């Protein structure tokens, strides 16, 4: 039995981490910590766990095997590194951290922990676990659309106003001190990581516009983080494509990826009736009905928690290591730099 502590008791912990741990027969949530101690106590009572007064107290408990870091973006690195040094396995929410230096420090801490205590670091890039994405990668690897030339990938919805226990644009998502970044890091890192994983290539250059177009704070001023990002990515294998992330899609959510190959076009979560559609250049059409994508309004099991618990039990490498997510974070930070400078930014492969 993997005994788990939850660090940060906001909405992502309440609707994903805690329920998915409780649904796993090999895991048990035993500890909770939040800067709002009353919130942690309330959840602890509901779930038969213990609320801790401090993060250090939780990490000092030898009976806790692993933690989920569900805090605001700016504290991901500190909590993760502390937990790894305490010998705890860590599942950290995305984005990894708010600077590239912090991301690299997390990876280094994981490498050291693996040697000292065997502790593992996994990052919650859950789009790799969506069943249609898994099937799409199999089809791409099998050459169903030939060699991929270009792509467009999009993640847009109406914003995270309801995705917090403190709803509205006054929540931490819109606070530059706690979130640091907006739609680019919240949604853009998902699609950046996904397209790299699907193609087996990394982003080596980006030209981007990362901006705040519509979201306003309670006083009516534009919020201090971006609500839209549009990027042109050049990949290490020569593929070129676009990545769009938006908090201003005030209608149906768009979580689609379209890949254009030498032998046809693959549409993933782009058709309302079929999760994958392939139109081959010879006129043939292939339809694949796989699980629908989860949305903010329709949360389904992510697969992340089960994979995290499984890797701990089996002593295996996490399915999504911190090191494997670094290229996506490099692309995020490079895109923000590109937007600020108005220039194309190249990204070293390592």
């Amino acid at each position: 039995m993997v005994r788990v502590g939850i660090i940060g008791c906001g909405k992502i912990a309440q609707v994903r981490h805690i329920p998915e741990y409780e649904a796993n027969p090999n895991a048990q949530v035993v500890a909770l910590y939040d800067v709002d101690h009353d919130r942690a106590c309330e959840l602890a009572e509901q779930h038969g766990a213990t609320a801790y007064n401090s993060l250090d107290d939780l990490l000092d408990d030898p009976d806790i095997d692993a933690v989920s870091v569900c805090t605001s973006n700016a504290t991901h690195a500190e909590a993760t590194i502390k937990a790894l040094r305490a010998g705890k396995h860590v599942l950290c929410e995305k984005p990894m951290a708010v600077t590239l230096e912090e991301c690299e420090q997390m990876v280094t801490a994981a490498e050291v922990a693996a040697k000292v205590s065997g502790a593992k670091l996994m990052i919650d890039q859950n789009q790799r676990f969506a069943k249609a994405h898994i099937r799409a990668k199999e089809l791409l690897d099998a050459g169903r659309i030939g060699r991929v030339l270009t792509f467009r990938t999009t993640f847009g919805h109406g914003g995270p106003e309801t995705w917090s226990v403190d709803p509205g644009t006054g929540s931490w998502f819109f606070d530059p001190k706690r979130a640091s970044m907006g739609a680019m890091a919240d949604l853009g890192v998902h699609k950046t990581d996904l397209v790299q994983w699907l193609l087996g290539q990394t982003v080596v250059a980006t030209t981007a516009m990362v901006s705040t177009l519509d979201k306003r704070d309670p006083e009516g001023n534009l919020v201090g983080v971006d609500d839209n990002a549009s990027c042109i990515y050049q990949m290490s294998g020569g593929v070129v494509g676009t990545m769009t992330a938006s908090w201003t899609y005030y209608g149906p959510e768009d979580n689609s990826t379209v890949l254009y190959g030498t032998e046809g076009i693959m549409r993933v979560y782009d058709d309302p009736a079929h999760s994958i559609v392939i139109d081959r250049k010879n006129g043939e059409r292939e339809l694949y009905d796989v699980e629908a994508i989860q949305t903010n309004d329709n949360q389904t099991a992510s697969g992340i928690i089960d994979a995290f618990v499984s890797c701990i039990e089996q002593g295996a490498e996490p399915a999504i290591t911190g090191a494997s997510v670094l290229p996506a974070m490099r692309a995020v930070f490079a895109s923000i730099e590109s937007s600020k400078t108005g220039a194309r930014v190249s990204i070293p492969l390592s």
Side-chain angles (χ1 to χ4, degrees):
M1 180 69 67
V2 178
R3 294 166 59 84
V4 180
I6 304 294
I7 301 171
C9 298
K11 194 163 184 179
I12 193 67
Q14 295 179 29
V15 304
R16 176 171 296 154
H17 289 253
I18 294 174
E20 291 192 25
Y21 281 120
E22 290 185 335
N24 188 304
N26 300 315
Q28 181 183 8
V29 174
V30 298
L32 297 160
Y33 167 71
D34 193 275
V35 290
D36 183 337
H37 188 61
D38 289 341
R39 180 185 299 159
C41 289
E42 182 179 344
L43 277 178
E45 185 175 350
Q46 292 174 18
H47 298 280
T50 300
Y52 286 74
N53 287 308
S54 73
L55 174 58
D56 290 341
D57 286 346
L58 186 153
L59 296 177
D60 284 342
D61 188 336
D63 291 330
I64 297 171
D65 304 308
V67 298
S68 270
V69 175
C70 303
T71 58
S72 56
N73 300 345
T75 54
H76 283 183
E78 179 184 7
T80 295
I81 292 169
K82 275 189 171 184
L84 288 168
R85 289 175 177 169
K88 312 301 184 187
H89 305 291
V90 179
L91 173 60
C92 181
E93 266 297 330
K94 55 78 199 169
M96 279 180 74
V98 297
T99 68
L100 181 56
E101 182 181 15
E102 284 187 343
C103 293
E104 292 170 340
Q105 288 171 351
M106 290 166 69
V107 171
T108 299
E111 292 170 347
V112 172
K115 296 174 182 176
V116 173
S117 65
K120 309 172 191 302
L121 171 61
M122 184 166 167
I123 307 298
D124 190 359
Q125 294 293 164
N126 58 56
Q127 293 229 346
R128 295 195 209 177
F129 283 83
K131 289 182 172 58
H133 291 155
I134 292 171
R135 186 69 177 117
K137 182 167 177 57
E138 293 170 351
L139 294 165
L140 288 169
D141 291 347
R144 292 306 299 160
I145 63 168
R147 179 170 58 89
V148 176
L149 302 172
T150 62
F151 66 85
R152 61 174 174 85
T153 187
T154 303
F155 198 172
H157 56 55
E161 283 88 337
T162 63
W163 199 236
S164 171
V165 290
D166 302 309
T169 54
S171 78
W172 71 263
F173 281 98
F174 301 93
D175 180 352
K177 291 183 179 178
R178 299 177 69 193
S180 181
M181 302 168 282
M184 182 67 204
D186 180 43
L187 305 181
V189 71
H190 268 310
K191 307 311 282 194
T192 304
D193 180 78
L194 173 68
V195 78
Q196 291 185 137
W197 178 73
L198 286 173
L199 297 173
Q201 301 180 26
T202 57
V203 180
V204 294
T206 177
T207 305
M209 177 66 75
V210 181
S211 53
T212 311
L213 303 178
D214 190 63
K215 295 296 183 186
R216 295 181 181 274
D217 64 22
E219 287 72 45
N221 304 305
L222 286 172
V223 297
V225 298
D226 56 280
D227 60 17
N228 277 271
S230 300
C231 309
I232 301 171
Y233 285 159
Q234 179 184 343
M235 311 300 290
S236 56
V239 180
V240 175
T242 62
M243 191 289 297
T244 301
S246 178
W247 281 348
T248 62
Y249 283 18
Y250 300 126
E253 186 168 312
D254 187 349
N255 206 332
S256 63
T257 299
V258 183
L259 303 114
Y260 304 86
T262 54
E263 300 298 324
I265 300 170
M266 177 187 293
R267 303 179 186 276
V268 187
Y269 292 131
D270 185 57
D271 184 288
H274 307 283
S275 42
I276 302 175
V277 177
I278 293 179
D279 288 302
R280 293 171 59 80
K281 72 177 183 181
N282 63 6
E284 294 176 355
R285 168 166 274 208
E286 301 174 6
L287 305 175
Y288 298 85
D289 296 324
V290 196
E291 181 182 70
I293 190 75
Q294 62 172 276
T295 67
N296 282 348
D297 299 322
N298 179 31
Q299 289 291 309
T300 57
S302 67
I304 283 284
I305 301 299
D306 290 344
F308 180 54
V309 172
S310 178
C311 81
I312 294 170
E313 289 198 303
Q314 297 176 13
E317 184 85 345
I320 305 175
T321 64
S324 77
V325 178
L326 268 181
M329 293 307 302
R330 290 190 181 105
V332 166
F333 296 122
S335 294
I336 293 170
E337 180 185 350
S338 172
S339 183
K340 289 178 178 178
T341 62
R344 178 178 182 270
V345 174
S346 297
I347 306 167
L349 286 175
S350 61

